[in-house]
Amino acid sequence: MIRVTVIFFARARDLAGTEKAVFELSPDATTSLMMQVLVDRYPALRELQDHLRLAVNRSYAAGTAALRDGDEVAVIPPVSGG
Amino acid sequence: MKQPAPDHTGPDAPSGRDLSTQEVARYSRHLVLPEVAMEGQKRLKAARVLLIGAGGLGSPLGLYLAAAGVGHLGIVDFDVVELSNLQRQVLHGTRDLGRKKTASASDRLRDMNPEIEITTYEAQVTSANALDLIRPYDIVIDGTDNFPTRYLVNDACVLLGKPNVYGSIFRFHGQVSVFSPPAGPCYRCLYPEPPPPESVPSCAEAGVLGVLPGVIGSLQATEAIKLILGKGDPLIGRLLLYDALEMQFREVKIHRDPHCPVCGESPSITKLIDYEEFCAGPAKARATAGMPAEITVEELKARLDRGDDVDILDVRNAEEWILCHIDGATLIPLTELPARFKELDAGREIVVHCKTGVRSAKAMTLLLGAGFRNVKVLRGGITAWAQKIDRTLSGY
């Protein structure tokens, strides 16, 4: 298993109800699986699921990317306030 | 809508770019900085910056850009000053309650720096006026407070090739970047389409720390000044995230999306669209279209068995497609759809589906916005199809 730390930003933090969480995933885990695991654990995230962006180790992950042990995943929703 | 008449205040057009004795004294702390100096200060004086929004972000932006000597400052806003604004909108005062924000901002900034020219536009930015508003300026600063205007400002800046200094805030969090394709991504490379209106509350609904727009707007002002000076490393290709509670800044590298519908290799958006409708969500799109928008799995099966001419569009992602799909369907994941409209035949009937119906409703909004008229959503998605029509398919 690999351990991945997830950090939630803005609205995603409200919906998840936490700022940070650690997940144990199978070694072949990807960002797509990560998103599925996140909405399973925090169903409130589902309403924003298609609009959340994941950054792995501070780099925006487009499409599906492999995750490795010790990775940090930031969950970044769109924000509109001004 | 006709172009709003600009209201010019400030001195007549400067006869040259040399600084007066007064200006040398005013900007002396800049002039002794090697990175600014006389050349940089003249660049600031010659610069034209359009500030969209004179609210939370617009307050520090207006104050610092005016103080720095940005020679031509345009300010767009249609709102009036309310008491609940004053917790964070430091450009306005109690005496300005009920006044137009453009008038209040103009007075305050003229007092701050009478050497600069300020042009106010008392208007809402719309698809009809955005290009004319932005065209005369070198740099645009997005200090707006809603998704429709953010997408509009982004698209207009991309179409005109203007850098867009972006900032946004939510409760204790802020985001800052500089969108400047082709050097880096645009806003749509990050977020191709807006979230449903009800899923992201506004500052009025969710609250916002009063000093937060002060921090984020000041960062935007810093970036705008650096762009004008041509100094330092701009936030192009980097999204800066600020968390006031943790007091942490994080930087995320962001990349251009070759499939971006506005700045990508084959853009589908080549002129401004209706952004209110684009951001309103599927319910409004259905009401606008005024046609039956759904088809049941039984109806679809019967029509396919009859040999009807129907294209099935699957907007799930590739991983889900591998788990199960309807024979004969075409896969275009929702996130890629805006860049791949050309692969679809607008003359044929399209039935769009996802897993249960959320993404297909969004896809329909996009398709209707792109001019497709004969579009239906498969009620219950492939989950209903697997339960009622083809039980050999694996649910997931």
Side-chain angles (χ1 to χ4, degrees), chain B residues 11-24 26-27 30-31 36-49 65-73 113-118 137-138 224-225 228-229:
Chain B
D12 292 337
S15 52
R17 287 178 183 179
D18 284 339
L19 302 187
S20 66
T21 312
Q22 282 286 318
E23 287 173 302
V24 169
R26 177 179 286 271
Y27 304 126
H30 269 171
L31 296 172
V36 184
M38 184 59 81
E39 191 202 330
Q41 196 63 49
K42 286 181 181 176
R43 280 182 178 232
L44 288 167
K45 183 171 177 172
R48 306 184 60 89
V49 174
L65 294 175
V70 169
H72 306 266
L73 202 52
N113 189 351
E115 307 286 351
I116 65 167
E117 183 182 301
I118 297 166
Y137 291 90
D138 308 318
I225 289 168
I228 294 165
L229 296 175

Side-chain angles (χ1 to χ4, degrees), chain B residues 120-394:
Chain B
T120 56
Y121 307 89
E122 191 195 313
Q124 191 158 13
V125 189
T126 67
S127 300
N129 65 17
L131 296 175
D132 288 336
L133 278 171
I134 291 172
R135 196 173 281 116
Y137 291 90
D138 308 318
I139 294 173
V140 174
I141 307 190
D142 182 352
T144 63
D145 64 358
N146 62 84
F147 285 113
T149 315
R150 289 194 182 278
Y151 279 93
L152 168 59
V153 169
N154 178 74
D155 292 1
C157 286
V158 172
L159 293 176
L160 292 171
K162 309 280 185 183
N164 172 11
V165 181
Y166 161 83
S168 64
I169 54 173
F170 180 81
R171 304 190 69 195
F172 294 91
H173 286 218
Q175 302 182 345
V176 191
S177 192
V178 175
F179 298 127
S180 189
C186 80
Y187 184 62
R188 277 192 197 257
C189 296
L190 261 69
Y191 298 108
E193 55 167 305
E198 65 281 3
S199 67
V200 180
S202 67
C203 289
E205 295 160 322
V208 62
L209 183 71
V211 73
L212 179 66
V215 174
I216 299 300
S218 298
L219 293 170
Q220 289 176 278
T222 308
E223 287 304 297
I225 289 168
K226 282 164 55 190
L227 288 176
I228 294 165
L229 296 175
K231 298 290 183 189
D233 191 7
L235 266 178
I236 296 171
R238 298 186 285 153
L239 179 68
L240 188 64
L241 304 169
Y242 171 64
D243 180 338
L245 282 179
E246 305 288 314
M247 195 46 79
Q248 278 198 339
F249 286 92
R250 279 167 185 273
E251 181 184 309
V252 173
K253 289 191 174 62
I254 52 179
H255 319 286
R256 279 191 83 192
D257 177 0
H259 301 300
C260 174
V262 65
C263 82
E265 285 158 7
S266 54
S268 59
I269 296 168
T270 54
K271 59 182 171 49
L272 300 178
I273 61 172
D274 181 339
Y275 293 85
E276 292 294 339
E277 186 180 318
F278 175 59
C279 296
K284 184 166 176 208
R286 272 200 292 277
T288 309
M291 54 191 286
E294 284 193 332
I295 181 170
T296 65
V297 292
E298 292 86 351
E299 284 164 7
L300 178 63
K301 177 70 164 68
R303 294 194 51 192
L304 291 173
D305 288 346
R306 277 207 307 270
D308 278 5
D309 230 2
V310 179
D311 287 346
I312 303 173
L313 173 63
D314 184 340
V315 294
R316 299 173 302 152
N317 62 39
E319 288 83 3
E320 296 173 280
W321 170 271
I322 290 167
L323 296 176
C324 62
H325 58 265
I326 298 174
D327 281 342
T330 302
L331 174 70
I332 301 182
L334 180 62
T335 51
E336 297 173 20
L337 184 59
R340 296 176 62 184
F341 287 137
K342 285 187 199 123
E343 297 174 31
L344 300 168
D345 185 346
R348 288 167 61 87
E349 180 176 359
I350 298 173
V351 171
V352 56
H353 82 84
C354 58
K355 185 182 178 189
T356 58
V358 175
R359 284 169 290 178
S360 56
K362 289 169 187 164
M364 190 168 82
T365 304
L366 293 173
L367 289 165
L368 293 174
F372 291 82
R373 282 291 163 260
N374 201 355
V375 184
K376 288 188 175 67
V377 164
L378 184 63
R379 188 186 299 168
I382 198 163
T383 304
W385 185 267
Q387 284 166 354
K388 295 177 180 169
I389 306 297
D390 186 350
R391 300 185 69 89
T392 67
L393 292 183
S394 58

